[in-house]
């Protein structure tokens, strides 16, 4: 009888111990999941710390302003492509659209115009309108093809990428330019984009930082405070359910891609003035940086998930890494490998989050 009681006590004790150990195991799992889900942020922060230790000037005022300026220049394209990813798609024509609109902005702002010798320097509003319209047209073709023909965004934007690139090559052949780089812009155009906004410790901050902030605020309002934004996330989460709920899916998809095209056009407008030139390679692979930034910032390829603040953080972190690698004198060709790895790891983490939720 005594043995039976002892066994009973030991059995109860074992169960109590097991019960007590369960929360600890769950806590360990939660910590593990937290670390894994935020692995990209952790890796990037560690990389920043290491770079700052090796090269202390990385954290200087001039370096920080350079990072902020680069972030502002690349932010509009990421804001545009983020909407396409929310719809479970993508847009690999983004970089070439930036290149086309940069060449158009440049050609309308040349002091000595080889493309159109009889065309003077166009006013800034005309140049802005031109790049917005061209970007919107490319976005409309993408959105219409995806929405009406039910084609995959990758196939559609791959096609438009080639079409836009061919258009750039033909455009630069106009007049006597013979495909050469466009440069020598009017000061009114360059000044509008790159003039000093203010100074921090005698280091100038360019105007396009302000433009990027304005575009970010506008996109935040569109995503979070409008019916269109709600519809976009509804379509991205479940297109069939959104359609049954009365959402105009076709119009929503087309609008997302048109809005993305407008963002690409504005990126091209800024980029040509910032670099002070435009050619057939302008905008090359910009979509890779934008996609990587969006995924790092939490915009999910699963659809229906994403925040403007996350995109901003993603672009900022990506530029910090690239500038840091330049400080370490890393081979420029290695940056392509780094970008590819970042996209791969970020997408893998994103898919893991989806599988865990499922």
């Amino acid at each position: 009888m005594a043995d039976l009681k002892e066994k009973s006590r030991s059995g109860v004790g074992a169960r109590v111990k097991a019960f007590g150990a369960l929360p600890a195991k769950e806590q360990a799992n939660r910590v593990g999941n937290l670390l894994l889900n935020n692995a990209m942020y952790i890796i990037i922060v560690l990389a920043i710390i290491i770079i700052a230790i090796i090269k202390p000037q990385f954290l200087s005022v001039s370096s920080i302003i350079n990072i902020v300026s680069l972030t502002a220049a690349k932010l509009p394209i990421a804001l545009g492509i983020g909407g396409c990813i929310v719809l479970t798609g993508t847009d690999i024509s983004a970089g070439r659209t930036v290149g086309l609109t940069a060449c158009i902005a440049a050609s309308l702002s040349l002091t000595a115009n080889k493309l159109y010798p009889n065309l003077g320097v166009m006013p800034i509003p005309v140049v802005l309108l031109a790049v917005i319209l061209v970007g919107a047209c490319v976005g409309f073709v993408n959105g219409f093809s995806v929405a009406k023909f039910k084609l995959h965004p990758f196939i559609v934007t791959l096609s438009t990428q080639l079409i836009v690139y061919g258009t750039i090559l033909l455009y630069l052949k106009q007049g006597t330019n013979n495909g050469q780089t466009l440069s020598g812009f009017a000061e009114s155009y360059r000044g509008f984009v790159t003039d000093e906004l203010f100074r921090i410790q005698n280091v100038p901050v360019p105007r396009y930082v302000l433009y990027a902030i304005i575009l970010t605020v506008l996109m935040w309002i569109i995503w979070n405070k409008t019916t269109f934004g709600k519809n976009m996330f509804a379509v991205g989460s479940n297109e069939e359910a959104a359609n049954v709920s009365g959402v105009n899916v076709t119009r929503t998809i087309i609008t997302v891609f048109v809005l993305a095209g407008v963002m690409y056009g504005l990126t091209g407008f800024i980029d040509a003035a910032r670099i002070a030139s435009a050619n057939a390679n302008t905008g090359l692979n910009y979509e890779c940086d934008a996609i990587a930034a969006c995924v790092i910032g939490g915009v999910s390829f699963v659809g229906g998930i994403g925040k403007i603040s996350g995109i901003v953080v993603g672009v900022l972190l990506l530029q910090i890494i690239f500038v840091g690698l330049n400080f370490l004198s890393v081979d420029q060709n290695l940056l392509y490998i780094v970008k590819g790895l970042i996209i791969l790891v970020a997408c893998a983490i994103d898919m893991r989050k989806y599988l865990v939720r499922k």
Side-chain angles (χ1 to χ4, degrees):
M1 189 69 177
D3 290 343
L4 188 60
K5 287 182 179 179
E6 186 64 32
K7 285 181 182 178
S8 178
R9 286 196 198 99
S10 64
V12 172
R15 285 194 295 273
V16 170
K17 285 182 181 179
F19 183 77
L22 195 61
K25 186 177 180 181
E26 285 183 1
Q27 189 174 3
N29 287 336
R30 286 181 181 178
V31 172
N33 288 333
L34 184 66
L35 291 174
L36 192 57
N37 291 339
N38 295 282
M40 186 57 67
Y41 288 108
I42 294 169
I43 292 169
I44 290 174
V45 169
L46 288 174
I48 293 168
I49 293 171
I50 292 169
I51 293 168
I53 292 171
I54 297 172
K55 296 283 185 178
Q57 62 268 37
F58 175 61
L59 296 179
S60 65
V61 173
S62 59
S63 175
I64 291 172
I65 290 177
N66 181 42
I67 291 169
V68 170
S69 300
L70 289 172
T71 300
K74 298 296 178 66
L75 193 52
I77 184 175
L79 294 173
I81 214 167
C84 302
I85 297 175
V86 167
L87 293 181
T88 70
T90 187
D91 189 347
I92 59 174
S93 69
R96 291 304 185 186
T97 306
V98 169
L100 176 60
T101 52
C103 288
I104 290 172
S107 67
L108 297 177
S109 307
L110 292 170
T111 52
N113 202 326
K114 292 183 179 180
L115 279 80
Y116 307 108
N118 297 323
L119 185 69
V121 176
M122 293 289 101
I124 296 299
V126 174
V127 180
L128 269 172
L129 183 61
V131 297
I132 288 172
L133 286 175
V134 170
C137 286
V138 176
F140 178 81
V141 171
N142 288 335
F144 186 84
S145 301
V146 171
K148 283 292 186 181
F149 303 140
K150 303 302 178 184
L151 298 174
H152 195 282
F154 179 84
I155 300 299
V156 172
T157 56
L158 174 63
S159 303
T160 49
Q161 180 193 58
L162 297 172
I163 293 169
V164 170
Y165 183 49
T167 304
I168 295 172
L169 296 175
L170 290 173
Y171 188 79
L172 292 176
K173 289 278 187 179
Q174 297 295 309
T176 59
N177 190 62
N178 198 28
Q180 296 176 21
T181 297
L182 302 177
S183 59
F185 305 145
E187 185 54 38
S188 58
Y189 170 49
R190 285 217 67 206
F192 182 80
V193 176
T194 62
D195 269 1
E196 178 184 316
L197 188 62
F198 55 83
R199 284 178 176 262
I200 299 177
Q201 293 187 12
N202 210 33
V203 180
V205 176
R207 278 186 182 178
Y208 60 83
V209 172
L210 174 61
Y211 305 151
I213 293 171
I214 293 171
L215 291 175
T216 302
V217 172
L218 287 175
M219 289 297 286
W220 184 87
I221 293 171
I222 291 170
W223 277 34
N224 296 284
K225 300 297 181 180
T226 65
T227 303
F228 162 74
K230 295 176 183 177
N231 292 344
M232 179 183 72
F233 282 102
V235 173
S237 297
N238 190 320
E239 185 175 322
E240 291 299 324
N243 190 39
V244 171
S245 301
V247 175
N248 190 325
V249 173
T250 298
R251 185 170 62 192
T252 301
I253 293 173
I254 291 174
T255 305
V256 167
F257 277 93
V258 168
L259 188 59
V262 170
M263 291 294 111
Y264 307 155
L266 293 172
T267 304
F269 175 83
I270 291 171
D271 220 47
R274 180 178 68 89
I275 301 172
S277 66
N279 57 40
N281 288 323
T282 300
L284 179 63
N285 291 327
Y286 276 25
E287 67 276 4
C288 295
D289 293 356
I291 291 169
C294 288
V295 177
I296 290 170
V299 183
S300 176
F301 274 103
V302 173
I305 299 171
K307 293 181 179 179
I308 293 296
S309 58
I311 295 175
V312 174
V313 171
V315 176
L316 178 62
L317 290 177
L318 211 57
Q319 295 308 315
I320 288 172
I321 286 295
F322 295 157
V323 171
L325 292 175
N326 285 326
F327 263 91
L328 296 177
S329 301
V330 173
D331 189 336
Q332 289 292 315
N333 297 321
L334 187 62
L335 291 181
Y336 291 105
I337 298 175
V338 173
K339 290 178 187 178
L341 288 173
I342 288 174
I343 294 173
L344 184 63
V345 173
C347 288
I349 293 171
D350 174 58
M351 186 52 64
R352 185 189 177 281
K353 291 178 185 176
Y354 168 71
L355 292 174
V356 168
R357 286 195 302 270
K358 191 174 179 182

